[in-house]
């Protein structure tokens, strides 16, 4: 009888903890893709101008697979967390959020718009050392217990030796969770590599939208497949951090 009583009490404790966790809410305050592909593994520093040129090319449009990833995140992956996400409209329609201008020492005008692409309605909030952005954002959403930042970035790597080599693209998603005070309490990065390949001849990669976009999209597709399996483990690590 005593063991049954202890078991019953433990069950109540676990049930209460679960219900409490599900009552917690988090506001996703940024969701974007960084268009600046890291090519340091396949090219010299002198090739960085090619990356900037690629970002500025209107045909280098990541919007379709960013939207696809965004939709999967909210409809599927986010359901694995024990806490709830605030409805997107509550975030992006918030008047304070609309008026918010993130601290960004690198953004000297419109240049930042060429280097990043935000999901519809979102601000681009970069991962700066100064946590002023996160503190301000956390204060905007009184009903939330914390805020979350989600962004994609890309890197290129070489497969092969000699003058002719194959290149692939890695897609990484960064998920960061902050408490009500803007303090980071959890972060993770998940990466997948494209199955499609491009070519590099004499150490030069062909950094054109036609060549690079399919690799980026394929890498994001592979990342989404990986997250189908990994999200329960990621969510378990994030649980209880708020």
């Amino acid at each position: 009888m005593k063991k049954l009583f202890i078991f019953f009490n433990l069950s109540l404790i676990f049930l209460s903890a679960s219900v409490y966790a599900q009552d917690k809410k988090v506001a996703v305050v940024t969701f974007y893709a960084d268009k600046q592909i890291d090519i340091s593994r396949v090219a010299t520093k002198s090739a960085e101008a090619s990356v900037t040129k690629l970002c500025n090319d209107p045909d280098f449009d990541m919007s379709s697979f960013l939207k696809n990833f965004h939709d999967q995140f909210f409809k599927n992956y986010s359901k694995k967390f024990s806490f709830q996400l605030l409805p997107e409209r509550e975030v992006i329609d918030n008047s304070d959020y609309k008026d918010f201008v993130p601290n960004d020492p690198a953004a000297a005008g419109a240049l930042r718009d060429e280097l990043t692409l935000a999901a519809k309605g979102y601000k681009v909030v970069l991962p700066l050392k100064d946590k002023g952005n996160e503190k301000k954002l956390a204060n905007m959403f009184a009903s939330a217990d914390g805020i979350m930042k989600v962004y994609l970035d890309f890197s290129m790597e070489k497969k092969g030796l000699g003058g002719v080599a194959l290149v692939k693209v890695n897609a990484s998603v960064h998920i960061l969770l902050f408490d009500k005070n803007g303090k980071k309490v959890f972060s993770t990065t998940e990466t997948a590599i494209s199955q499609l390949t491009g070519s590099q001849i004499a150490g030069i990669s062909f950094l054109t939208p036609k060549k690079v976009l399919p690799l980026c999209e394929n890498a994001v597709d592979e990342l989404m497949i990986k997250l189908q399996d990994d999200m329960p483990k990621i969510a378990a690590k994030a649980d209880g951090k708020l």
Side-chain angles (χ1 to χ4, degrees):
M1 186 68 179
K2 185 176 180 180
K3 290 182 179 180
L4 181 62
F5 179 75
I6 293 172
F7 176 78
F8 179 73
N9 278 339
L10 287 173
S11 298
L12 284 178
I13 291 171
F14 290 133
L15 179 62
S16 298
S18 175
V19 170
Y20 178 67
Q22 290 172 0
D23 284 343
K24 289 195 171 185
K25 294 181 173 62
V26 169
V28 176
V29 295
T30 191
F31 203 110
Y32 69 92
D34 187 342
K35 296 169 65 178
Q36 299 176 93
I37 298 177
D38 179 2
I39 61 170
S40 59
R41 297 180 186 176
V42 300
T44 62
K45 196 172 182 65
S46 61
E48 288 181 359
S50 298
V51 175
T52 302
K53 182 179 178 181
L54 181 66
C55 291
N56 292 333
D57 192 321
D59 291 331
F60 191 57
D61 185 4
M62 294 183 168
S63 57
S64 62
F65 55 87
L66 174 61
K67 182 181 185 302
N68 190 18
F69 185 82
H70 161 276
D71 293 347
Q72 285 295 321
F73 184 86
F74 281 93
K75 292 177 183 178
N76 187 358
Y77 310 142
S78 67
K79 308 301 183 187
K80 308 300 181 183
F81 293 113
S82 61
F83 46 78
Q84 301 176 40
L85 298 186
L86 285 185
E88 282 192 282
R89 300 310 323 179
E90 286 188 28
V91 176
I92 61 179
D93 288 343
N94 180 297
S95 58
D96 290 332
Y97 183 77
K98 284 183 174 181
D99 294 337
F100 176 62
V101 179
N103 296 330
D104 180 3
L111 179 61
R112 173 57 59 196
D113 295 334
E114 303 297 334
L115 302 181
T116 56
L117 177 68
K120 188 176 180 179
Y122 283 97
K123 306 280 186 177
V124 173
V125 185
L126 298 177
L128 306 178
K129 290 183 179 180
D130 174 19
K131 297 304 178 186
N133 286 330
E134 288 74 22
K135 290 179 181 178
K136 291 176 184 176
L137 287 164
N139 289 333
M140 289 180 192
F141 304 99
S143 63
D145 298 280
I147 60 171
M148 180 180 286
K149 298 168 66 177
V150 182
Y151 66 95
L152 292 167
D153 61 20
F154 302 88
S155 62
M156 191 173 283
E157 65 178 66
K158 182 166 57 176
K159 299 289 183 181
L161 299 171
V164 178
L166 298 177
V167 293
K168 293 193 173 192
V169 166
N170 292 301
S172 299
V173 61
H174 306 265
I175 303 172
L176 301 92
L177 184 63
F178 302 81
D179 66 15
K180 282 186 173 182
N181 300 312
K183 178 183 177 183
K184 185 169 68 175
V185 294
F186 172 78
S187 67
T188 187
T189 299
E190 297 293 314
T191 301
I193 192 168
S194 65
Q195 294 301 306
L196 297 179
T197 59
S199 59
Q200 183 186 59
I201 300 175
I204 300 173
S205 300
F206 294 98
L207 297 177
T208 64
K210 185 177 180 180
K211 297 289 186 180
V212 178
L213 266 179
L215 303 186
C216 293
E217 182 170 12
N218 183 239
V220 171
D221 288 342
E222 293 296 324
L223 179 60
M224 289 192 291
I225 293 171
K226 183 180 180 184
L227 286 175
Q228 290 283 9
D229 294 328
D230 291 354
M231 274 308 299
K233 292 179 285 187
I234 295 170
K237 292 178 181 179
D239 288 351
K241 300 296 184 181
L242 290 177

